[in-house]
Amino acid sequence: MDLEALKEAVIAGDSKGCMLLTDVAIQAGHSPQKILTEALVPAMQIVGDKFRCNEVYVPEVLVAARAMKKSLGMLKPLLTQTGVKPVGTAVIGTVKGDLHDIGKNLVGMMLEGAGFEVTDLGSDVAPEKFVQAVKNTGAQIVGVSTLLTTTMLGMKDVLRALEQADLRQKVKVMVGGAPVTQAFADEVGADAYGESAATAVDRAKELLGIK
Ligand code: B1M
């Protein structure tokens, strides 16, 4: 079975088809990582491109996102069933004012798949919530995502809040999301920039000195 049909089902927003084809892909022996990176992520990228070109509109995007989430829900237990001691702990969330969560969810799942214990704060997360979560969980990494240029500077607020709470020296901060660049990450004083969910895992491991 190739993964093209699953990709098409996400693009078409066919939730039932997505669940069925995800099951078929798993049964055919495709790894959850492969299903994610070769079907779900590229499908959502295509939907994003179509949205940008006004070929589809918000309702279609939402339906595609919902279909993708159904597949993700089926992959999550497979990605996370390592059953071993976590290699690290992370708190992740999308900045205040930003409701986009698909990319951030992928980052969370990929981190979990790589053995991290992840606390996902969701989207539209205020800086003080990141601070509280670090205090509650003792997380080693804070991952901040944003998709909007208008909320990018919210990342700086998260870094400032961590500093004010005297936590900045204790945690590593990684930023990512479509408008974010390495230059922006440097500008706001983040410790790492994750270009994709896969590279976010590499960066997180590097931050903790894990090979
Ligand atoms: Co919105 N939206 N949206 N949207 N949306 C974008 C981002 C936009 C580029 C579309 C466009 O105009 N071309 C544009 C932003 C423009 C800008 O800021 N310059 C935009 C806009 C304007 C808006 C609204 C303002 C629209 C409106 O209401 N007028 C509104 C904002 C609402 C708000 O947040 N306050 C809005 C709303 C929505 C929906 C609700 C309809 C929906 C979100 C559904 C959801 O997330 N639950 C939506 C969607 C789906 C998109 C697009 C089409 C797709 C985003 C996506 O999920 N991509 C997007 C256009 C596009 O990107 N082409 C668009 C797939 C995802 C896998 O990629 O999130 O980039 P991405 O994540 C990648 C990497 O960036 C990285 O890893 C991921 C996987 O590889 N990554 C990290 C992400 N976070 C990371 C964190 C890390 C490391 C890596 O470390 C911590």
Side-chain angles (χ1 to χ4, degrees), residues 1-209:
M1 181 230 176
D2 71 27
L3 295 169
E4 206 50 39
L6 176 56
K7 214 166 127 183
E8 291 303 325
V10 174
I11 296 167
D14 175 5
S15 288
K16 276 191 186 156
C18 276
M19 291 172 78
L20 185 76
L21 290 162
T22 303
D23 192 40
V24 173
I26 294 166
Q27 299 305 328
H30 292 298
S31 71
Q33 283 87 353
K34 184 174 173 182
I35 299 171
L36 247 184
T37 55
E38 293 186 18
L40 305 188
V41 173
M44 218 43 224
Q45 264 151 10
I46 291 170
V47 174
D49 291 344
K50 287 181 177 224
F51 185 57
R52 207 171 17 244
C53 306
N54 293 324
E55 280 178 45
V56 297
Y57 298 95
V58 170
E60 287 98 326
V61 174
L62 281 177
V63 173
R66 198 179 309 141
M68 186 201 189
K69 277 188 181 177
K70 295 276 183 199
S71 290
L72 284 179
M74 293 172 72
L75 296 183
K76 189 168 180 180
L78 301 174
L79 282 166
T80 55
Q81 66 183 206
T82 49
V84 290
K85 200 172 165 284
V87 298
T89 48
V91 159
I92 61 167
T94 308
V95 286
K96 190 170 166 56
D98 189 345
L99 299 174
H100 296 86
D101 66 356
I102 297 169
K104 180 267 299 164
N105 292 348
L106 284 173
V107 171
M109 271 184 230
M110 297 283 275
L111 283 173
E112 285 181 340
F116 282 80
E117 191 174 283
V118 178
T119 303
D120 187 344
L121 303 176
S123 55
D124 189 19
V125 181
E128 50 278 20
K129 277 200 179 166
F130 282 100
V131 168
Q132 197 53 50
V134 171
K135 285 182 183 166
N136 292 347
T137 64
Q140 298 158 294
I141 295 177
V142 172
V144 193
S145 175
T146 195
L147 266 279
L148 297 171
T149 45
T150 47
T151 53
M152 278 172 86
L153 282 174
M155 292 180 155
K156 215 172 184 166
D157 297 335
V158 176
L159 281 147
R160 198 179 298 126
L162 288 167
E163 255 164 40
Q164 284 168 355
D166 221 5
L167 290 169
R168 185 64 189 97
Q169 303 306 318
K170 298 185 181 122
V171 289
K172 300 287 184 191
V173 177
M174 173 163 57
V175 293
V180 180
T181 58
Q182 181 64 56
F184 181 79
D186 294 341
E187 192 187 314
V188 296
D191 300 300
Y193 159 60
E195 192 183 6
S196 67
T199 51
V201 171
D202 296 338
R203 296 294 91 79
K205 285 182 174 172
E206 283 162 17
L207 287 172
L208 301 186

